[in-house]
Every structure is written in structure tokens, then in C-alpha cells.
Amino acid sequence: MFDLAAALADPASTDHRLLIRDMDAIAVQLKRLADAKVPVLFRPLHEAEGGWFWWGAKGPGPAKQLWRILHDRLVNHHDLHNLIWVWNSVSPEWYPGDDVVDVVSADVYLPQGDHGPAIGTYERLVDLGGDKKLVALGEVGSIPDPDQIRAYDARWSWFVTWSGSFIQDGVVNPRDFLQRVYHHADIITLDELPNFKQPQEPPADCTAALRVLNQWGGGFQAEVTVKNPKASSITGWQVKWSLTAGQGVQNAWNTNLTTDGPTVTAKNASWNGTISPGAGTSFGFIGTGTPSTPTLTCTTA
């Protein structure tokens, strides 16, 4: 087996030069991805603390040293900044440091039929990263049940199922279970991700939606919810829509509402003009005539 400790101890040795040569060869391929603006979840030296790979066979000291040399070579020497560095062991003794790790992860192979949330490993990784790093499952056999993940608040960022029988035999991960996992509301799959390479439309100033709460012959009660989709607070808003033939507004609450012909303008009251990012407020009114679903326009003051 390759003697990592000896190679690192002698920078002039052939083995040390071979290490650097291999890093440079890896950098060539990673540079192609960087040029194509592709971010990479980079998980080198995985399962180091297991000791079964050459990079972990000599203990934590050489493994951590190699990680830091690799990080420096790729980031500082080759100027690669498309890499998200994923550490893949749970022991603090092996951890190379917050400054060279973006994500902490572990490989978890639960017994067949066990789809638990691996909460013990999750909590160890949270502690390892000081509760400041994303936490991921680098490899799994049995996929954790999303309902159990939610119940135990194990906020795994992602999981990768090993290939072969783990995903194909219908036993480790039965087909009906896989279908439930991949259609679960808490699981995001590749087809659901936005195209990050395309320019994104800036969020609207505000949004508004109307719903009819109650109706009777000749009238109805409606509620309008105003939301702030922006990353900063808004301090005033107004909503406009058009009445259909026969409609009118008798009274309203939580808003300053006026009509000009068929046009309705509802402005914030003195106490609900400020809306925090992602939050919302609502107002209501009594309408006459037949309720409808008008197109609402929301703007900030």
C-alpha cells in the first residue's frame, strides 16, 4: 500500500512528486467544468477514518495534511473556485478544519429494512461542523424515510444511493418505497431545480391574491393577501383590480380602499404597511354582485 506518511515527510521524493502530479491531472478536468460554469460537489479522500484506503491508512495526521495540500493546490495554485469541498468522516480527530471544508458528510449503510433517519450520525456531523456547515449523506444503502427525517429534524442536505442491488433488487429499497421517497414533498429532484445558468427574473415588488370567503344572493365577502417576495422589507403597498359589471364594494377593513369607476385601489393602513421578507398581511371587503377572480396588481409605495 502507498505510504502516505513517508511521501509527505519528503517533498523531494518520487512519491511526493507523484501526489502533486495527480492533483494537477485532476485540476485539468475540474478546470473544464469551471470554464463551463459547473459547480462541483468535491468529495475527495472519502471515508478516511476507516483506514481501508491508502489516504487514511497512516492515521489522521497524514490524511489531514494531504487534504490541506490538495485544497491549496487546487484553489490557490490552479485558481479553481467552482469546488464545494465535502468532508466525509465524522471523527473530530480527523477533521482538517473549517477553513478548508464547506460540507460535512458521512457514508451510512443501515441494516436492510431500516430506513431510519441516522440521527446519531447527523448530530455528530452537526457538532463536527460547529452547527455552521451543511450536513449530507455521502453514500447510503437503505434510503432514510423522509417522514422520519422530518420527525427527528435530521436536516440532511442530500443523499446518494449506492448503485447495484441497493437500488435495483427491490429488496433494500422496495419500489413502492422509492416512489414514495422521490415524490415526497420534502425531496427535491434534479427535474425540479431551476436553471441556474439562465438569468432569473427579479422578484415582484409584492404579490396579492384574492379569495372569496362567503357569498349570498347579491353579495360576497372576500379576503386579499399581500405578500413580500423580496429579500428586504417593504414599507408600503397598494393593490389594484377592476370590478366586473354589476360589482361594487360596500365596506372594507385593514386597508384604505377607494373606487374610481370600475377600478379599485386598496392601500395599506397605518399599521400594516411594513411587511418583512417572505411575510404577508391581509385585508377584506364586502362586495356586491357576483364574485369573480380578478387579476390583481400589487406595487410598493
Side-chain angles (χ1 to χ4, degrees):
M1 182 178 288
F2 183 81
D3 191 334
L4 176 61
L8 294 177
D10 184 5
S13 68
T14 298
D15 284 345
H16 192 281
R17 289 197 298 270
L18 288 174
L19 283 175
I20 302 302
R21 184 203 65 179
D22 287 350
M23 294 178 191
D24 292 344
I26 293 169
V28 171
Q29 304 306 319
L30 293 174
K31 182 66 163 57
R32 294 174 62 192
L33 295 171
D35 290 343
K37 301 187 184 305
V38 176
V40 177
L41 291 168
F42 192 49
R43 189 182 67 119
L45 314 184
H46 71 290
E47 299 177 3
E49 69 188 69
W52 42 76
F53 296 118
W54 60 264
W55 51 83
K58 295 299 180 178
K64 291 189 290 185
Q65 185 181 354
L66 178 62
W67 177 279
R68 298 190 72 90
I69 291 173
L70 176 63
H71 188 280
D72 178 70
R73 189 74 181 177
L74 296 184
V75 175
N76 297 320
H77 180 78
H78 288 288
D79 199 30
L80 287 166
H81 299 285
N82 63 321
L83 307 180
I84 301 169
W85 290 79
V86 183
W87 179 248
N88 190 232
S89 293
V90 299
S91 171
E93 184 183 7
W94 290 74
Y95 188 57
D98 287 342
D99 60 319
V100 291
V101 171
D102 299 310
V103 180
V104 289
S105 73
D107 298 346
V108 178
Y109 287 86
L110 299 171
Q112 184 172 302
D114 184 351
H115 297 285
I119 186 63
T121 301
Y122 173 81
E123 290 176 343
R124 289 180 67 187
L125 288 172
V126 170
D127 290 341
L128 182 67
D131 201 14
K132 295 180 179 179
K133 305 288 183 182
L134 291 176
V135 180
L137 285 166
E139 298 173 19
V140 297
S142 296
I143 299 173
D145 188 320
D147 289 334
Q148 292 197 43
I149 289 176
R150 173 176 284 191
Y152 283 87
D153 201 25
R155 301 183 182 185
W156 296 108
S157 298
W158 72 81
F159 65 86
V160 177
T161 316
W162 198 249
S163 62
S165 61
F166 289 105
I167 200 70
Q168 296 173 353
D169 66 4
V171 177
V172 177
N173 294 292
R175 182 170 181 173
D176 60 341
F177 174 72
L178 287 175
Q179 289 176 332
R180 183 166 69 83
V181 167
Y182 286 104
H183 288 91
H184 196 280
D186 293 346
I187 302 297
I188 301 174
T189 52
L190 180 61
D191 60 301
E192 297 174 296
L193 292 175
N195 186 345
F196 294 109
K197 291 187 178 181
Q198 294 296 325
Q200 301 296 307
E201 290 293 330
D205 287 344
C206 55
T207 62
L210 182 150
R211 64 174 181 145
V212 176
L213 301 179
N214 196 7
Q215 66 181 97
W216 53 88
F220 61 94
Q221 177 186 352
E223 178 185 67
V224 176
T225 300
V226 180
K227 290 188 176 180
N228 175 16
K230 300 174 74 68
S232 57
S233 295
I234 60 178
T235 56
W237 49 264
Q238 70 173 19
V239 179
K240 288 188 175 184
W241 71 94
S242 295
L243 299 170
T244 61
Q247 282 187 337
V249 177
Q250 286 188 333
N251 53 54
W253 51 94
N254 296 336
T255 181
N256 294 312
L257 187 146
T258 59
T259 59
D260 182 7
T263 302
V264 180
T265 302
K267 297 183 179 181
N268 61 274
S270 60
W271 60 87
N272 62 358
T274 299
I275 307 177
S276 301
T281 188
S282 62
F283 64 88
F285 66 91
I286 299 296
T288 57
T290 302
S292 61
T293 54
T295 299
L296 279 63
T297 301
C298 186
T299 56
T300 56

